[in-house]
């Protein structure tokens, strides 16, 4: 069938993702801050006045929102998607939220005759702009097959990882690992500076040795440019660490390094770096 696409959430990640869809076919969009819809309106997108209005007009709806509270509000709150969702509608959630809330909202959508695919992404703002995201999807095979052609317009690696909630589970595990890696890279580089090593020497050796990682490269790049404009903010990184540790607690898993990382990153957030890029963790030692 011919799908009518909708996109809710036009932030750093959502706007370029939505533009990739709009490049090929009509799109209805909604964002709480309406100014963010303007680049899409100028390209021909229709702007809905509320999530429920968007749901009434669309058969396949993509979400890219900041946290559990935002997703729950825009799906199940007043004038939310549930108020307008039609039988047969598929909602694809690219946000990173808790698996528990994911399953709750998926059940609510199914009770109205729709379906849900949790499809969080990794690859950051660059991946969103260049359509090279990795997308991990949880949900029914039929829902995944229906959404896949559109997911391939936004990402390069598209993986079905199991039932509803498993996409979010894998994303939280991946973000736990990347968060701890970023913190380890920051600590090592700052320790090297403290001991008199030059950044360029650490970069030459560490980026071609066993210490190499995407997060190390990011830390070195941000340190060199002194640019901490958010690609992925401290606030969002802490949110994901917190969700991962909550998931570990629910499963009875002893995530010892994760717990330590969550507490250290909490201190960084509380020190006032919330709106800066996650790599600003390299600055933690400046106040010590």
């Amino acid at each position: 069938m011919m799908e009518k696409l909708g996109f809710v959430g036009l932030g750093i990640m959502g706007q370029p993702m939505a533009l990739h869809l709009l490049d090929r076919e009509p799109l209805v969009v909604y964002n709480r801050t309406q100014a963010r819809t303007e680049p899409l309106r100028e390209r021909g997108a229709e702007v809905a006045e509320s999530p429920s209005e968007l749901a009434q007009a669309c058969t396949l709806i993509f979400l890219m929102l900041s946290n559990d509270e935002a997703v729950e509000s825009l799906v199940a709150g007043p004038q939310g998607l549930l108020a307008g969702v039609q039988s047969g509608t598929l909602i694809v959630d690219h946000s990173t939220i808790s698996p528990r809330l994911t399953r709750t909202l998926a059940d609510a959508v199914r009770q109205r005759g729709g379906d849900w695919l949790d499809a969080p992404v990794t690859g950051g703002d660059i991946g969103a702009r260049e359509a090279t995201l990795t997308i991990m999807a949880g949900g029914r095979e039929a829902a995944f097959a229906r959404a896949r052609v559109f997911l391939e317009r936004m990402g390069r690696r598209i993986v079905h990882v199991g039932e509803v909630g498993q996409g979010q589970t894998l994303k939280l595990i991946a973000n736990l690992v990347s968060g701890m890696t970023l913190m380890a890279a920051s600590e090592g580089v700052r320790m090297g500076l403290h001991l008199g090593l030059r950044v360029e020497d650490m970069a030459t050796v560490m980026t071609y040795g066993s210490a190499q990682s995407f997060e190390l490269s990011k830390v070195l790049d941000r340190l060199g440019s002194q640019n901490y404009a958010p690609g992925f903010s401290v606030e969002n990184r802490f949110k994901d660490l917190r969700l991962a540790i909550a998931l570990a607690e629910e499963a009875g898993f002893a995530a010892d390094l994760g717990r330590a990382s969550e507490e250290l990153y909490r201190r960084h957030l509380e020190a006032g770096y919330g709106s800066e890029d996650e790599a600003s963790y390299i600055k933690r030692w400046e106040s010590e």
Side-chain angles (χ1 to χ4, degrees):
M1 69 175 180
M2 180 70 71
E3 302 279 12
K4 182 65 180 290
L5 304 185
F7 206 107
V8 177
L10 302 171
I12 291 173
M13 299 287 289
Q15 189 168 111
M17 293 168 70
L19 284 167
H20 291 310
L21 296 175
L22 184 59
D23 280 343
R24 301 206 187 176
E25 56 203 296
L27 185 68
V28 183
V29 298
Y30 173 80
N31 195 79
R32 280 176 168 170
T33 304
Q34 195 171 36
R36 289 187 175 273
T37 67
E38 287 306 313
L40 290 110
R41 187 199 294 273
E42 291 171 1
R43 296 269 290 272
E46 178 183 345
V47 178
E49 294 298 319
S50 68
S52 62
E53 180 183 299
L54 182 144
Q56 290 169 17
C58 299
T59 61
L60 206 167
I61 301 167
F62 300 88
L63 311 180
M64 189 49 156
L65 301 165
S66 58
N67 53 39
D68 282 40
E69 293 74 21
V71 174
E72 186 170 26
S73 173
L74 289 174
V75 173
Q79 292 297 301
L81 293 174
L82 282 177
V85 74
Q86 308 295 304
S87 178
T89 297
L90 173 60
I91 296 178
V92 180
D93 183 21
H94 294 301
S95 319
T96 300
I97 63 172
S98 69
R100 177 180 291 180
L101 178 61
T102 291
R103 289 187 285 267
T104 297
L105 295 177
D107 286 343
V109 170
R110 286 173 177 168
Q111 287 171 18
R112 288 162 172 77
D115 208 349
W116 188 282
L117 198 69
D118 54 299
V121 307
T122 188
D125 57 324
I126 295 173
R129 290 194 301 271
E130 298 180 354
T132 57
L133 294 168
T134 296
I135 304 175
M136 56 219 85
R140 295 189 309 120
E141 285 278 3
F144 178 68
R146 180 177 166 187
R148 181 161 191 159
V149 66
F150 304 105
L151 299 178
E152 288 172 346
R153 296 175 190 173
M154 299 180 283
R156 182 172 292 169
R157 299 170 192 83
I158 317 297
V159 186
H160 185 226
V161 300
E163 63 188 20
V164 165
Q166 289 298 87
Q168 297 294 355
T169 297
L170 179 51
K171 176 62 187 297
L172 292 178
I173 295 298
N175 273 16
L176 177 65
V177 172
S178 66
M180 292 189 295
T181 302
L182 179 136
M183 295 171 73
S186 298
E187 185 169 301
V189 170
R190 285 309 296 247
M191 183 175 175
L193 291 172
H194 184 74
L195 293 172
L197 294 175
R198 294 180 299 184
V199 172
E200 56 268 33
D201 292 337
M202 286 189 281
T204 298
V205 172
M206 294 170 72
T207 57
Y208 291 96
S210 58
Q212 166 59 6
S213 70
F214 173 86
E215 299 293 354
L216 172 64
S217 295
K218 180 176 186 177
V219 165
L220 289 169
D221 177 68
R222 294 292 186 131
L223 179 63
S225 66
Q226 287 295 299
N227 175 14
Y228 297 99
F232 189 61
S233 71
V234 168
E235 189 173 53
N236 279 329
R237 173 59 76 185
F238 177 69
K239 180 261 296 183
D240 288 356
L241 286 171
R242 181 174 51 81
L243 286 173
I245 298 309
L247 187 62
E249 290 174 350
E250 290 175 15
F253 182 81
D256 300 324
L257 287 176
R259 289 178 187 279
S261 299
E262 179 192 22
E263 176 55 30
L264 288 169
Y265 216 76
R266 180 194 302 277
R267 295 179 197 171
H268 186 57
L269 175 68
E270 292 174 348
Y273 294 98
S275 62
E276 294 191 9
D277 188 82
E278 59 171 342
S280 67
Y281 189 74
I282 189 74
K283 296 158 71 174
R284 170 195 151 194
W285 292 267
E286 292 177 4
S287 59
E288 293 186 356

